[in-house]
């Protein structure tokens, strides 16, 4: 099934940065660039190459005492940054079942981030 076929929720385009948040794949911290967001999904560009045959989770660690949120990588496409030619990966992320059961809403959770803006629907 194609990733676009799985989109069941309204998405907003994101602009800005995730200042104060740490994103990690395993024990490695990664830089991410926001693309879009829904209540249970997030589109980002990760500053590294991710193999297509691996099951990967990305965790968001907050600057306060909130527990981290786990997102499963459901879609990915590798590319190179046009200016630097460094490898990076466009990822479609979905909340883990555990965090869905906790009632996590990514829009509510991340919309208060000072340097991140929700734009028009996509």
């Amino acid at each position: 099934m194609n990733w676009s076929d799985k989109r069941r929720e309204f998405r907003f385009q994101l602009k800005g940065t995730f200042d104060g948040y740490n994103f990690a794949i395993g024990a490695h911290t990664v830089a991410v660039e926001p693309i879009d967001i829904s209540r249970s999904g997030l589109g980002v560009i990760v500053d590294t190459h991710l193999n297509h045959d691996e099951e990967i989770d990305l965790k968001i660690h907050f600057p306060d005492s909130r527990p981290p949120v786990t997102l499963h990588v459901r879609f990915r496409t590798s590319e190179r940054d046009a200016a630097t030619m460094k490898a990076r990966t466009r990822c479609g992320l979905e909340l883990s079942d555990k965090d869905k059961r906790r009632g996590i809403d990514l829009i509510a959770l991340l919309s208060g981030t000072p340097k991140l803006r929700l734009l028009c629907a996509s």
Side-chain angles (χ1 to χ4, degrees):
M1 181 179 276
N2 180 316
W3 170 256
S4 61
D5 296 337
K6 291 185 175 188
R7 286 187 178 180
R8 289 171 260 178
E9 294 182 326
F10 192 72
R11 290 188 171 267
F12 289 94
Q13 183 181 6
L14 285 176
K15 284 287 187 197
T17 61
F18 289 110
D19 289 358
Y21 296 87
N22 289 319
F23 290 79
I25 296 173
H28 304 287
T29 300
V30 294
V32 299
E33 177 184 327
I35 297 173
D36 60 25
I37 191 169
S38 69
R39 290 182 316 133
S40 65
L42 189 61
V44 297
I45 295 176
V46 179
D47 72 344
T48 190
H49 170 74
L50 299 177
N51 292 326
H52 288 278
D53 55 353
E54 294 179 65
E55 184 90 11
I56 297 173
D57 287 341
L58 182 140
K59 285 194 184 278
I60 304 174
H61 298 273
F62 300 98
D64 52 29
S65 60
R66 287 178 284 176
V69 170
T70 302
L71 299 147
H72 297 300
V73 177
R74 297 290 187 208
F75 163 91
R76 65 195 121 181
T77 13
S78 296
E79 56 185 52
R80 294 214 175 265
D81 182 274
T84 66
M85 293 308 290
K86 286 184 68 176
R88 60 192 210 160
T89 306
R90 160 67 166 101
C91 295
L93 308 168
E94 182 180 22
L95 275 174
S96 68
D97 289 340
K98 176 184 172 187
D99 286 331
K100 285 180 186 174
R101 285 191 302 273
R102 286 175 47 204
I104 300 292
D105 177 335
L106 289 173
I107 293 173
L109 189 67
L110 298 174
S111 64
T113 305
K115 293 188 178 180
L116 192 63
R117 291 182 304 137
L118 275 68
L119 301 175
C120 62
S122 58

